[in-house]
Structure formats: structure tokens, C-alpha cells
Amino acid sequence: MADPTPADRGRIHPVEPVPFPEREQRQARLPVPLTSFVGRDREVAAGVDLLRRPEVRLVTLTGPGGVGKTRLALRVAEEVGGDPSTSSELAPSTGSGQALSNAKGQAFADGVVFVPLGAVADAALVVPAIAHALGIRETGERPLVDRLTDALRDRHLLVVLDNVEHVADAAPHVVALLTGCPKLKVLATGRAPLRRSGEHVMAIPPLALPRAGDPASVTDVGAVESVRLFVARARAARHDFVLTDGNAADVAALVERLDGLPLAIELAAARIAHLTPAALVARLERCLPLLTGGAPDLPERQRTMAATIAWSHDLLTTDEQVLFRRLAVFVGGFTLEAAEAVCGSSELRASSFELEPSVAGGVADTVRSKLQARSSKLDALDGIASLVDKSLVQSAEGTDGLPRYAMLETVREFGLDRLAASGEEQDVRRGHAAWCVALAERADPGIWGGPDHRRWLDLLQVDLANFRAALAWLAETGDGTGLLRLAAALGGLWVYRSYRAEGRAWLTRALAAGGDAPLARATALIKLVALDPSIERTRAVELRAEAVVLRREHGDRFGLGRALNGLGALLRDGAEDGQWMTLLEEAAGLMGSVGDFTGLAFGCQIRAAAALERGDADGARALLAEALTLFERDGFECGIADTLLQLGGIDADRGEVAAAAGRYAESLRLWQAVGNQEGLIDAAAATARLAASWGRPDAAPVLLGAAAAQGEALGYRASASEAALDVQAASTARAAIGGEVFATSWATGRALSPEEVTAHASAVLASLAASASQGDAELAADGVGLTPREREVLVLVAEGLSDREVAAALFVGPGTVRSHLTSAYGKLGVGSRTAAVAAARRLGIL
């Protein structure tokens, strides 16, 4: 397994106070459903009215599965003005619509954040889910609920918590947030109330039905909510479907038999492609007891929704039913390949899914071959297509452009019940876990090196809910080996997508489980150090030293080279003379023998950092140039971007402005392409420092303010040395443009979105590069125009003398020295002493 960059770049540190991300930075904007919202005018108005009452802080929408709680919550959130991009465009069609339209407005100044909890298996993960939706990262040792409270304390925000019934134990944390944040409100959906003080419960009824005894005609039933929904969905299944006087009675009978439950109606409407309303009613009549109610001791959802899904399920062929119940094991969706791997045989054996230690990727082939060892293979492609047609599986385009499938949560719950009843559940879950391990282990090396870093991260991200389910199952069943392998292989996702708290928790639990997977243990130890910079240094050295021993004992030459690099970086930081270099030399030999160019590049970066600390800029530049060549040979974009930033810093110190600007611009482009927000922050801050010293002090506070705001939102803080440079740049810019302008520009930067910051930094870099090239030519042509006294002052400044010391040497006052320096700055086109000396040397003046 590959390891993080040297010393993990020292990026994640506690930052206080906890900031609230700007609207553009928040990740969980309101979802925009692909189908129209039908009816519910009365419920929407009631929900809006509740949320606009000052005394109402917590509203819970309750009702059976399939009643439409999530869609109603989204509509209510739109109406109270949560997100301009999703504000309601679908005007209600009844009389209450005008009242709703008039009531619209930005009721919540800080917007609405949607937090889906259907895939969250543990109540302990609800607070991290809320934090992640807000773009707030856990850092340091403070409880995350306290950090959230700090961030939201003065914010007028609506948080929508969707599907809370299975994580109701998190209710005390929700109440704690509401107690500590007086302007915060929560809109929750669930099958039962949270039962907390101050909670306002809205029981969501089924859709309105045609009144008994009314004539069954288009005029009479066409405006009824349940009928309108059926007609809208039927037209989606068959474009020429029309409600007529001839079928109106059957449609009215159908929605009545389905109790007005939206999901049941949608499932029935999907059959219009093959069955008439009369045929649908006939089928319902034959299983009416199942559809109208079950045993009174069963949960409400099973007395209604389960019966409706059972009817749809019974229309499937035997093979489709097998595939349906096995697909229910996936959480948050699946691909065709995943379905084939986990569900791909007609029969299962109890031993089919044993997790076996293997090299990355090997588990996938093992699982697939065992799945297909007996009897015929299920045709997953045709089977899933049929389930999509019958609305039991939903289809959408995945992040890679390929189809991705998912079940509605209530449908999936029904499938899980059938899976448990079949006796296959443990085998299918074992196969699902094995598939998760295979995918994560196959992805992990590519995340830490090579050209596919971006692609692997996206692939893991989209299946995070599946990984969580597999981790939980492995932990519950006591499979320490599988748990260790999966938690370790997900280290790249934990690090690069800021799931640090969750990653630390799983790695700690997996390491304590004592699984028999030495190489996975080594990986987990290394990743734990990468995820937790707060680990005491001596302990971090111990963990990475153990990883080195494990990889050495098991002959993992690739992994050993990376582990030695990481241990060497830690020891260098502690100034253990000589030992760290010995480790890096051994690592270089190993990585060279296996062709690990990215690992070799990391080693060059570590040595370059040491050279800079010694004041050997030329040596550092040569090492970084070597690292850049190696990263480019391997195609690792993150390594290239990071090295360009470091080289640009050396260029800037030497006054090579055009070169520095070019490197920063390319680094900025790469960080944006990869989607690494921390890298973008680094590039923006570096651009600000360059601008402050070389003729664009006006641009510096904007970029510094932006970097500060976005770093706070991520819980990221630059190293001490970089922070000192930022302070110096801010001081230079403030002196040049004045405190009032500086403050205004800083505030402007803090309000920028990441995309706006990137565009602004790119424009500043282009301007700096052009000005530097033109300025050098002009200065060379006119001899710069410095007076003899200005040259004398620069000579003494270059020798390290202060203004007061220069004044004493020249027998003038300090104010006169500053005047000469200011004049020289203007002629050289710079804004600081360091930049002036560098420019004068570059132009041959000194």
C-alpha cells in the first residue's frame, strides 16, 4: 500500500473559533427531484407556517414509509427560501398556491442544508454527517458537537435531517445544537417522532382520495391529489396515457385501494406501460387483504407499504426476485459490475464469500469465481433493466458517466426482509463485504501515486455508504481481518475527502480487533498517523516504526520503501541527526528497484525541506526539480502541483517573478482539476505573497482573506513558517494600500467562493507574469534610474542592515532611508526590502 505525502504536509490543525462556511462552500444544497411535486398544498402551508413561528425550533414530519415525507420536506424547505438555485418554480395548482407564493422569501438568512441519513448506520455518525454537509471538518480533541455549536451559534439556518428513525439515539445531540444555537431550526423526517421537549410533530397523511359516491368522471376526480399523481407518473411510463371518462372509475378505485400512498401509486403507475387501469385494479382485488392492512402487531409500514411492494414484487420472475433481494444489500447504490460480483449466481453456498488475504484486486476475482461456481449465472444486466422498468430500482448516471442504480429506501427494506427470509443474507453480506474490500484495495495504491488519483477518489466517494455498511457488518460479525483490510484500504478517502474523524474511529477499532492481516495492519498504522496530526510525535514514530517492521518481515518492498520515507520524515522533523537520512537512502534503493517514481519523488521533497532549513536554496531547488521530473514521469498530479508550489517559492525569493507566477498558475490549475481544496488554499496564499512583494499589493488582501476563510471552513491551517510569510505579506500590502482599503479587500476575499478565488488568483498571476517580463525589459533599457544614494542604501540593506543601521552608516536620519527605499521600490516595481534586493541583484545593480 502507498502512503501519504511526506509528513502529510502538516495541513490539518485545530482552528478556533470554528467558522461558518459561506453558502457556496456548503456541500449539501437541496436536492432537485427529477419528477414534479404534486399536491400537498395544505401540508406545505402548515410546514411553512410552523417553521416561520419564532417559538418553533424543531419540526418532525412523521408517517408510514412511502407517504412522501422527504419530498414534502424538500418542498417546505424551498418555500421558506433555503436555496436560491432550487427555489420553487412549480406553482401549486390549487387555491392555496397564491398564499404560498406570497409567503415566499428568504426566511433563513443563512439558507438550508439537507442532510440525508438513510445511509448512516450509526447514531454516532449523525453529528459528523451534519458537519460534513456544512463543510465543517473535525480537528483537534474538542467534541464535534461543540465545534458545530460554535459555528452555528449566530446563524439563521434550517437543517433538514432526512430519515432519522433508525438513528433516533442522536436526538440529544440535535437538541444540544438547538439549545446552543438560538437561530437554528431543524426539520426532520421519520416514521416516528424524536420525542423531545419542544418538538412539533406533523403527521403526514396519505394523499387525498376521491370522495365516495362522487361520479367517476374526469371532471370529478381529475383534480384530486392522488389521481393527479397517478396520471403524472403514468404519462412518464406511457406518454400517450390520458385520464378519460372511460378509465376514471378504475383510476379512482386504484388509488383508493392503494390508500393514497404516493410510492404505492407510483409503483402502480409504472405498470401502465403494460397493463390498463382495469387490469391493475383486478390484480389488486386478488391480493386486497395484503394491500389494505396486515396484522395489527406489525409496524405500520409493513401494514401498508410492504404490502404494496409485495404486490409489485410478486409480478417478478423467480430469477428477478432472487436478484431483487440480493441487490438490497447495497446501500446508496451500485454499479452493474458490483451487482454481478455480489449477486451473480443462481445459488449460493455458505462458504462462498470467505474473505481471504490477497494482493490488491485479487478478492474481486475470487468472489466472482466462487459466486459462479455452481449452477447458472443470473443475467444482472437484463434483470436490473427489468427492475428499473418496474420502479423497484432507480437508474441515474454515475460520476464516471456509467449507469448507477439504487433502491428507494422503503423498497430496499422490503428486499432486506425477503433476503433474511431466504436464508441467503449472511452469504450475500459476506460477498458484499468482499467486494468492498476488493474495490478499496484496488483503489488505494492509485490514490497515493500515479495518474488515476482523481478517478479512484471519485469511485470510492460514490460508494462510501456501501463501505460504511460493510465496515459495520464486519465489526458486528467479529471479522477482524476483513475490518482491518477495509479500514486500512480506505485511508486515502479518509484523508483526501476530509473524513478524518470517521477514518480515525474505524482504524482505531480495526487495529484493536486483532485481525490476522499484517500488511493491512502496517497500512492502518501509517494511515492513522496521516489522519491524526495531534498524535504525540513519539507515539507517531512508534506506529510508523512498527509498520516498517511488518512490511520488512513480509517482504513488501514497495510498501517498505514508502514506510521508510514516512518514518524518515518524522525523524527529520525531530532533528535526529543522520538517522533519517539513512532511512531515506534505504527507501530510495527499494523504490528504485520496484519503479516507484512517486515514492522517490517524496524522498526528494523530504531532503529538499532539510536543505532549505540549512539555507541551501540551490540544493533544495535541484532536489525539487528531480522530484518534479519523477512525479511527471508517474503522472501524479498532486505531487506535481505540490512541487510546483515549492519551486515557485524559491523563484519568488530570488526575485524571478515571471517564473514563480508560471509555476503557481500551473499548480493552481492542477489542484483545481484534482479537487483538492487544501492545495487551492496553498496556491492562493502563495499568490498573495508574490503579489504583495512584486507590484500588486491590492490583490494580496483579497487572496489572503479568501485563503483564511476557506482554511477555517476546512479546519486547515498552514505551517508556522508559511503563516509567518502570510503575516509579512499582509503587513507589506497594508502599508502600500492603507488599512481601510486592506480591510475592505480582506472582507471581499472572505466572501468569495472557491471557484471565484481560483479565477481571481489566476488573473493576478497572469498580470504579475506580464508585468515582470515587461518591467525587466524596461529596467534593463533605462539603467533602472536609481540614484547613487538609492544604490548605496540598497547595498547596505542587502548586507542585512536595518533602516536605523543604514542611517547611522550614511549619517542620515531613518526617515531619509525609508524615503530612498520607497523611491527604489517604485523604480524596481516591488513592495518589500527582500524583493528590492532580489530585483537589484537580478538586474546586475548589486
Side-chain angles (χ1 to χ4, degrees):
M1 303 303 168
D3 300 335
T5 55
D8 307 311
R9 300 192 49 182
R11 284 183 171 160
I12 302 300
H13 299 282
V15 176
E16 299 295 347
V18 182
F20 182 72
E22 299 297 331
R23 185 188 297 272
E24 292 81 4
Q25 295 174 274
R26 281 174 254 148
Q27 301 175 10
R29 298 165 70 87
L30 288 177
V32 181
L34 297 179
T35 55
S36 60
F37 185 86
V38 178
R40 297 292 195 194
D41 297 327
R42 183 179 304 172
E43 290 82 3
V44 172
V48 170
D49 177 66
L50 272 175
L51 288 173
R52 285 185 170 164
R53 294 182 191 174
E55 73 277 11
V56 175
R57 306 285 309 289
L58 172 61
V59 176
T60 303
L61 308 183
T62 64
V67 80
K69 299 182 292 294
T70 299
R71 291 297 300 270
L72 178 59
L74 289 174
R75 180 57 177 249
V76 170
E78 291 172 2
E79 294 296 338
V80 295
D83 190 336
S85 71
T86 60
S87 59
S88 176
E89 296 177 357
L90 300 170
S93 60
T94 65
S96 62
Q98 184 61 44
L100 282 176
S101 178
N102 292 338
K104 287 184 184 179
Q106 294 295 314
F108 291 90
D110 294 301
V112 174
V113 170
F114 183 81
V115 185
L117 299 176
V120 176
D122 189 343
L125 297 178
V126 170
V127 170
I130 297 172
H132 192 73
L134 285 162
I136 295 171
R137 300 294 176 258
E138 188 276 348
T139 58
E141 298 180 357
R142 292 185 64 209
L144 187 52
V145 68
D146 292 345
R147 289 180 54 79
L148 268 175
T149 301
D150 287 348
L152 303 180
R153 193 177 309 280
D154 298 317
R155 297 295 171 175
H156 194 190
L157 179 76
L158 175 64
V159 175
V160 180
L161 300 179
D162 189 42
N163 289 322
V164 299
E165 59 274 356
H166 62 298
V167 287
D169 288 343
H173 294 307
V174 174
V175 172
L177 280 175
L178 289 169
T179 302
C181 308
K183 297 180 180 179
L184 176 70
K185 296 193 179 188
V186 170
L187 174 62
T189 72
R191 295 190 179 98
L194 291 174
R195 302 189 185 283
R196 296 288 152 177
S197 177
E199 180 184 26
H200 290 253
V201 179
M202 277 187 59
I204 308 306
L207 294 173
L209 297 171
R211 288 188 299 179
D214 279 359
S217 65
V218 174
T219 302
D220 297 314
V221 305
V224 177
E225 286 183 337
S226 55
V227 174
R228 288 171 51 210
L229 178 62
F230 179 87
V231 172
R233 301 301 184 257
R235 286 175 178 167
R238 198 180 79 198
H239 70 90
D240 60 348
F241 177 79
V242 177
L243 183 68
T244 67
D245 287 337
N247 62 24
D250 288 326
V251 171
L254 181 65
V255 296
E256 183 178 7
R257 291 292 187 269
L258 296 177
D259 293 324
L261 290 168
L263 181 54
I265 293 171
E266 293 187 354
L267 290 171
R271 305 293 179 266
I272 285 296
H274 308 288
L275 299 172
T276 65
L280 286 171
V281 172
R283 298 187 73 89
L284 284 172
E285 289 290 349
R286 288 195 294 271
C287 57
L288 185 58
L290 289 175
L291 291 173
T292 57
D297 59 333
L298 289 176
E300 185 176 1
R301 67 180 184 275
Q302 293 181 352
R303 284 182 277 155
T304 55
M305 197 69 255
T308 302
I309 301 173
W311 164 73
S312 185
H313 171 269
D314 290 344
L315 296 176
L316 303 177
T317 66
T318 300
D319 280 351
E320 287 173 345
Q321 290 179 357
V322 172
L323 180 61
F324 168 74
R325 67 175 180 251
R326 293 179 185 175
L327 289 174
V329 76
F330 289 101
V331 187
F334 54 89
T335 62
L336 176 61
E337 291 74 18
E340 289 174 339
V342 178
C343 312
S345 70
S346 294
E347 295 182 8
L348 300 173
R349 294 177 297 170
S351 60
S352 293
F353 297 98
E354 294 298 334
L355 285 170
E356 300 170 350
S358 66
V359 298
V363 176
D365 295 333
T366 301
V367 170
R368 189 175 292 109
S369 64
K370 288 185 175 183
L371 277 167
Q372 301 170 6
R374 293 181 61 185
S375 76
S376 63
K377 176 183 176 183
L378 288 171
D379 190 334
L381 177 59
D382 288 343
I384 291 174
S386 178
L387 294 175
V388 170
D389 287 342
K390 296 169 183 175
S391 296
L392 288 169
V393 170
Q394 311 298 308
S395 176
E397 183 177 322
T399 57
D400 54 1
L402 299 176
R404 186 170 178 84
Y405 306 94
M407 288 182 177
L408 297 173
E409 195 57 32
T410 51
V411 174
R412 178 175 170 270
E413 288 180 11
F414 176 88
L416 287 175
D417 289 341
R418 290 300 173 105
L419 183 63
S422 73
E424 296 180 341
E425 183 175 10
Q426 293 305 305
D427 292 334
V428 174
R429 288 196 180 279
R430 190 175 295 113
H432 176 259
W435 168 77
C436 287
V437 172
L439 176 59
E441 289 185 339
R442 189 164 66 249
D444 188 58
I447 289 176
W448 301 109
D452 295 327
H453 171 84
R454 236 187 299 170
R455 182 175 67 87
W456 283 121
L457 275 175
D458 289 342
L459 286 175
L460 293 190
Q461 177 75 56
V462 76
D463 274 307
L464 178 58
N466 278 311
F467 293 131
R468 285 170 169 163
L471 287 164
W473 184 82
L474 290 166
E476 290 168 4
T477 57
D479 190 340
T481 298
L483 180 63
L484 184 61
R485 290 175 62 190
L486 183 53
L490 290 173
L493 184 66
W494 307 138
V495 169
Y496 278 93
R497 294 294 165 88
S498 295
Y499 295 103
R500 293 177 176 266
E502 184 176 354
R504 285 198 303 271
W506 281 121
L507 285 170
T508 301
R509 187 172 182 178
L511 287 166
D516 184 18
L519 292 180
R521 178 175 178 82
T523 300
L525 292 168
I526 292 169
K527 302 294 174 58
L528 184 59
V529 175
L531 284 165
D532 192 356
S534 68
I535 293 178
E536 193 270 329
R537 184 182 165 280
T538 301
R539 178 57 178 160
V541 170
E542 290 175 355
L543 295 176
R544 285 198 167 172
E546 182 184 348
V548 167
V549 171
L550 288 170
R551 287 183 168 176
R552 196 186 298 279
E553 287 178 347
H554 290 81
D556 180 10
R557 294 174 63 82
F558 180 94
L560 178 58
R562 292 292 184 94
L564 289 167
N565 253 359
L567 180 58
L570 282 176
L571 293 178
R572 184 194 70 78
D573 290 344
E576 278 84 351
D577 293 339
Q579 185 181 2
W580 69 272
M581 194 62 194
T582 300
L583 294 174
L584 260 60
E585 288 172 354
E586 182 184 358
L590 287 167
M591 292 184 293
S593 69
V594 298
D596 181 7
F597 301 116
T598 286
L600 288 169
F602 286 157
C604 290
Q605 286 186 324
I606 297 169
R607 287 182 283 145
L612 280 176
E613 289 178 358
R614 296 193 305 268
D616 182 9
D618 289 336
R621 191 174 199 172
L623 286 165
L624 289 172
E626 182 180 352
L628 183 62
T629 299
L630 290 166
F631 280 133
E632 289 175 338
R633 183 172 181 178
D634 206 28
F636 185 43
E637 291 176 314
C638 282
I640 296 170
D642 191 30
T643 307
L644 286 171
L645 272 182
Q646 296 178 55
L647 281 168
I650 295 176
D651 291 337
D653 288 343
R654 295 186 171 192
E656 298 172 5
V657 180
R663 294 191 197 275
Y664 288 168
E666 178 62 8
S667 177
L668 190 70
R669 184 191 69 79
L670 289 172
W671 289 127
Q672 183 180 36
V674 172
N676 187 301
Q677 190 63 32
E678 294 168 2
L680 288 173
I681 292 171
D682 285 346
T687 301
R689 296 193 291 267
L690 190 68
S693 295
W694 296 97
R696 286 295 309 275
D698 59 302
V702 176
L703 293 170
L704 288 172
Q710 295 182 29
E712 290 163 5
L714 289 175
Y716 160 65
R717 185 170 61 193
S719 66
S721 60
E722 290 176 332
L725 292 175
D726 291 344
V727 170
Q728 181 181 342
S731 178
T732 299
R734 188 182 290 106
I737 65 177
E740 185 175 347
V741 174
F742 182 93
T744 300
S745 298
W746 179 278
T748 298
R750 290 188 65 88
L752 295 178
S753 69
E755 294 76 17
E756 290 170 333
V757 175
T758 300
H760 186 68
S762 298
V764 170
L765 289 169
S767 170
L768 287 169
S771 297
S773 298
Q774 180 180 358
D776 284 354
E778 292 175 352
L779 290 172
D782 68 6
V784 181
L786 294 177
T787 67
R789 178 62 83 182
E790 289 167 354
R791 289 172 183 260
E792 285 182 311
V793 169
L794 280 178
V795 167
L796 295 174
V797 168
E799 293 175 357
L801 275 64
S802 67
D803 288 357
R804 188 171 297 278
E805 290 170 334
V806 172
L810 298 178
F811 301 101
V812 297
T816 301
V817 172
R818 286 193 291 272
S819 176
H820 288 310
L821 282 174
T822 300
S823 176
Y825 292 168
K827 294 174 180 178
L828 292 169
V830 301
S832 69
R833 294 162 62 94
T834 301
V837 171
R841 283 175 173 163
R842 187 178 73 255
L843 296 168
I845 297 169
L846 298 181

